[in-house]
Amino acid sequence: MVVYVCNTYGQYITKVKSPDKDIILEFNVNQEGQPVYAVLKNKEPIITASRLGFKTEEADFSQNLNIQSTSVNAFQEKWKPVWGQSSEIENSYNSLTVHLANSTGDLIFIEFRVFDDGIGFRYAFPELSNHHTLTIRDELTEFGMSGNHTAWWVPGCWDNDEYVYTQSKISEVDASYFQKGYPYSHATTITNKNAVNTPVTMKTSTGKYISIHEAALIDFPGMSLLVDTMNYTFKSHLAEDEIHPNVKATIQVPFKTPWRTVQIAESAGALITSNLILNLNEPNKLEDVSWIKPTKYMGIWWEMHIGKSAWDLKSGKHGATTGNAKSYIDFCSANSIPALLIEGWNTGWEGCGNANREGIFDFQTPYADFDLNEVVRYGKEKGVEIIGHHETSAAVSTYEKCMDQAYQLYHALGINAVKTGYVGRIPGHRHYDQYMVNHYNKVMVETAGFKIMLDVHEPIKPTGLCRTYPNLMSGEGMRGQEFNAWSDGNKPSHNVTLPFTRNLAGPMDFTPGIFDLKLVKYKNHDTDFSAYDAQDAAAKNVSRVYSTLAHQLGLYVVFYSPLQMVADLPENYKGNPAFQFIKDVGVDWDWTKVLDAEVASHVVIARKEKGKNRWFVGGITGENEHETTVDFGFLPTGKKFKAIIYQDDPLTDYIQTPEKYLIKSAVVTSKTKLGILMKKAGGFAVSIME
Ligand code: NOJ
Ligand code: CA
């Protein structure tokens, strides 16, 4: 499996192949003693010779390195996630570990794993003779691309991922538009105009797909990437705080870095079904997982975002009242939605606009018009779980002081899920620096101890840690539906880019399911929406959702999350026959198949509900309409099934008549092929239930 070849400098090139032998990783140390790697798929270069290494205060691991030894291994397992896109995951790879020593004898190890769907590698710093701490100055890891690929990227921001995706050539990556003060962003922490956050996904001129990200991000800063637009090369750009200039991280040795990952696929759809990031994480550490349950949930939430009500009591239109909570619970109970999120339940929201927000929340005290005990009791009576809410307002010190008691309160009440939030700047810190990575991970571990599931907004990007802590259910870390409520909105191509970018990293709490797409009821719009990409939609108070209703249904299958919101108001679902699909659709899956996909254009996915004979298909399009042919070959053979199809009406226009749709039923078998037209920003959904 490993071949040693003498190169022209008399040094050894070490190669390791994927189990299917299609991917080859080559490792070498060049004339300057710099570690270098390259990756080929079917002989085509994917990563050109690219540097590896670290600069630390205590030791230099960037050059003059010698290979001490190499070792290889083959690994194969199948494991069952607690929840996921499939109920069984194969983890097969060949690995290569290289031990390197610098000129003063300090050691660094690099471990590569080569899978059929890409590669991962990490660095390990063994114990050093004279120091226990390493101060990381820079990570030199590069990912050289073989050409000027098409890339889908968000800016390299160390505080926020809530940006629309841009499609451009690598040579044209330029975030200066976002740096100038993109609305609702942390423009000031976009550190370089030629930098991107990960996952960043690319398509080569030969039709291959590549996505760069990281796995198992523990006790280390998040990695953005600097883009060399001339040489088509990405370089690690670790987030740093404002307190320790030029220090990326301080680590105690022995230490292993997060994995750097490169997913490689022959089709856009194969990226979606790749489990490489999960496979590079440690197995589940929680013994009892009986309390972890994927679920749909409604929320006292959208009504605040569209301005019908507010989070704070002083506003005079407080949303989280006991009465309102009970009427949502009644609606959830009557419509088999198992859970309800309640935001704005606790005192402190009046201080959210303060520059210093430490101390404004105690995460304990309900507002006077909200009886927490009674709401939880009523929910239990009606079979509806309450999802708690902790908006930290990025006052992380306060949250660290209060969180133990706050989780105890929820635990005592029998609340077993919490949504957290980190809106705003963190004094001295960046959301993605080492301190914050440790904070997010601490919350994940502590909530697990209290048997609380977690949904993190304004999170650190997911890196597959949900394999190890399956209470980490979902998170934001992308520009979600909320932007449609109060900004110039998400353009249609955004939703058809997310499955191939952000959603590759892990579950995504996008919050689908808006039926009142023009938001006319609470925004008092005029109804001329002809210029959807007008930058001043928010200023003119004409925010709205730029998709068809059938697209919103399709999102429940297309976007993967074991917590899936039913985001609109009860009054907008009442009496609408399309609501039936949301009631029916599953949230946990035996398998996932991508039937038709192209990044930023369209995606059609079929999933089988875990442990049930129920199949759901969802499709969405972006700026252009797309006719797809659904091949029902995934159904068991020799049997007839009734399919209910929710699709765009031929007259649906996402600007003027987005709410128009058709419901059809059809008898289908594993031999059926059904043509379905998705209109612009449109979509469809199919349910098949035995
Ligand atoms: C931003 C979150 O993304 C959103 O879901 C939440 O409602 C607000 N912050 C308030 O916490
Ligand atoms: Ca957000």
Side-chain angles (χ1 to χ4, degrees), residues 351-574:
C352 272
N354 299 354
N356 176 4
R357 297 173 305 280
E358 296 293 347
I360 62 168
F361 288 116
D362 66 6
F363 311 96
Q364 293 278 330
T365 316
Y367 274 125
D369 59 353
F370 184 74
D371 186 337
L372 178 62
N373 293 323
E374 172 58 12
V375 167
V376 174
R377 186 205 63 75
Y378 189 72
K380 298 262 180 233
E381 182 187 311
K382 296 275 180 164
V384 177
E385 299 287 342
I386 300 303
I387 298 184
H389 187 232
H390 291 164
E391 175 52 70
T392 70
S393 68
V396 176
S397 313
T398 299
Y399 191 50
E400 293 226 346
K401 274 182 217 132
C402 299
M403 64 194 216
D404 211 54
Q405 275 194 311
Y407 303 148
Q408 272 177 39
L409 171 71
Y410 279 161
H411 185 68
L413 285 166
I415 291 179
N416 78 341
V418 63
K419 170 178 168 181
T420 55
Y422 295 83
V423 170
R425 288 294 301 274
I426 308 159
H429 284 282
R430 303 276 167 81
H431 282 69
Y432 307 157
D433 68 20
Q434 184 186 23
Y435 166 83
M436 279 305 293
V437 166
N438 287 341
H439 170 78
Y440 287 118
N441 289 346
K442 180 174 170 175
V443 170
M444 172 182 74
V445 174
E446 294 235 343
T447 48
F450 285 96
K451 301 198 169 170
I452 291 175
M453 296 182 277
L454 196 56
D455 173 16
V456 190
H457 277 233
E458 297 78 38
I460 182 69
K461 60 187 162 184
T463 58
L465 288 169
C466 59
R467 177 178 180 188
T468 318
Y469 287 93
N471 65 309
L472 178 58
M473 306 297 284
S474 195
E476 198 186 28
M478 43 84 216
R479 190 167 146 124
Q481 184 90 274
E482 64 182 19
F483 275 76
N484 293 325
W486 36 253
S487 81
D488 49 313
N490 301 338
K491 54 183 181 175
S493 61
H494 184 63
N495 285 2
V496 267
T497 306
L498 284 168
F500 309 96
T501 49
R502 162 63 183 78
N503 216 175
L504 300 183
M508 192 166 76
D509 190 30
F510 178 86
T511 70
I514 300 304
F515 278 16
D516 177 22
L517 296 140
K518 291 178 178 170
L519 304 181
V520 276
K521 279 192 207 140
Y522 298 102
K523 296 263 178 192
N524 299 319
H525 289 162
D526 61 25
T527 46
D528 179 12
F529 294 109
S530 38
Y532 79 81
D533 56 355
Q535 291 302 311
D536 55 355
K540 288 186 181 156
N541 197 28
V542 294
S543 301
R544 55 158 298 178
V545 181
Y546 295 104
S547 87
T548 71
L549 190 146
H551 177 110
Q552 293 290 316
L553 298 182
L555 293 178
Y556 283 91
V557 186
V558 166
F559 286 171
Y560 175 62
S561 178
L563 291 184
Q564 205 61 290
M565 194 174 201
V566 180
D568 212 337
L569 313 181
E571 66 213 64
N572 293 331
Y573 291 132
K574 273 182 195 153

Side-chain angles (χ1 to χ4, degrees), residues 30 108 113 130 144 148 184 199 207 214 227 229 258 292 314-315 321 341 416 430 457 486 507 520 527 531 606 637 683:
N30 70 14
I108 184 171
R113 290 186 185 171
N130 49 354
N148 193 8
Y184 318 105
E214 59 183 307
V227 188
T229 53
I292 300 177
K314 276 209 185 120
S315 63
T321 65
L341 164 74
N416 78 341
R430 303 276 167 81
H457 277 233
W486 36 253
V520 276
T527 46
T637 51

Side-chain angles (χ1 to χ4, degrees), residues 153 166 168 170 172-179 193-194 229:
W153 55 272
T166 300
S168 79
I170 301 171
E172 289 157 2
V173 169
D174 181 351
S176 41
Y177 163 74
F178 300 100
Q179 281 180 305
K193 76 180 178 63
N194 299 125
T229 53

Side-chain angles (χ1 to χ4, degrees), residues 200-462:
V200 55
T201 297
M202 285 161 280
K203 184 178 183 181
T204 69
S205 58
T206 56
K208 290 199 167 49
Y209 295 82
I210 302 167
S211 186
I212 305 174
H213 189 52
E214 59 183 307
L217 175 53
I218 297 169
D219 197 13
F220 211 66
M223 178 182 71
S224 300
L225 297 169
L226 287 171
V227 188
D228 177 342
T229 53
M230 306 286 281
N231 296 304
Y232 319 140
T233 296
F234 297 86
K235 179 190 168 288
S236 169
H237 188 41
L238 299 175
E240 61 191 43
D241 64 31
E242 291 168 336
I243 305 162
H244 310 93
N246 301 321
V247 174
K248 300 290 190 180
T250 307
I251 56 172
Q252 306 299 315
V253 293
F255 184 85
K256 288 177 177 166
T257 68
W259 295 90
R260 276 63 188 100
T261 62
V262 184
Q263 285 160 286
I264 306 165
E266 299 287 347
S267 66
L271 283 178
I272 293 173
T273 47
S274 160
N275 289 308
L276 185 137
I277 289 164
L278 288 174
N279 279 334
L280 286 167
N281 277 269
E282 295 298 316
N284 172 25
K285 284 196 173 161
L286 307 181
E287 274 168 27
D288 174 15
V289 291
S290 58
W291 51 278
I292 300 177
K293 290 197 172 76
T295 188
K296 279 173 274 188
Y297 71 99
M298 289 192 80
I300 299 185
W301 180 77
W302 187 244
E303 60 175 67
M304 280 88 100
H305 283 270
I306 61 175
K308 181 189 174 193
S309 70
W311 285 269
D312 67 304
L313 185 61
K314 276 209 185 120
S315 63
K317 50 175 188 176
H318 186 217
T321 65
T322 307
N324 198 24
K326 285 190 173 180
S327 72
Y328 269 88
I329 288 170
D330 288 339
F331 184 83
C332 288
S333 178
N335 292 285
S336 318
I337 307 294
L340 176 70
L341 164 74
I342 304 174
E343 294 200 0
W345 67 276
N346 57 327
T347 58
W349 286 87
E350 291 76 10
C352 272
N354 299 354
N356 176 4
R357 297 173 305 280
E358 296 293 347
I360 62 168
F361 288 116
D362 66 6
F363 311 96
Q364 293 278 330
T365 316
Y367 274 125
D369 59 353
F370 184 74
D371 186 337
L372 178 62
N373 293 323
E374 172 58 12
V375 167
V376 174
R377 186 205 63 75
Y378 189 72
K380 298 262 180 233
E381 182 187 311
K382 296 275 180 164
V384 177
E385 299 287 342
I386 300 303
I387 298 184
H389 187 232
H390 291 164
E391 175 52 70
T392 70
S393 68
V396 176
S397 313
T398 299
Y399 191 50
E400 293 226 346
K401 274 182 217 132
C402 299
M403 64 194 216
D404 211 54
Q405 275 194 311
Y407 303 148
Q408 272 177 39
L409 171 71
Y410 279 161
H411 185 68
L413 285 166
I415 291 179
N416 78 341
V418 63
K419 170 178 168 181
T420 55
Y422 295 83
V423 170
R425 288 294 301 274
I426 308 159
H429 284 282
R430 303 276 167 81
H431 282 69
Y432 307 157
D433 68 20
Q434 184 186 23
Y435 166 83
M436 279 305 293
V437 166
N438 287 341
H439 170 78
Y440 287 118
N441 289 346
K442 180 174 170 175
V443 170
M444 172 182 74
V445 174
E446 294 235 343
T447 48
F450 285 96
K451 301 198 169 170
I452 291 175
M453 296 182 277
L454 196 56
D455 173 16
V456 190
H457 277 233
E458 297 78 38
I460 182 69
K461 60 187 162 184

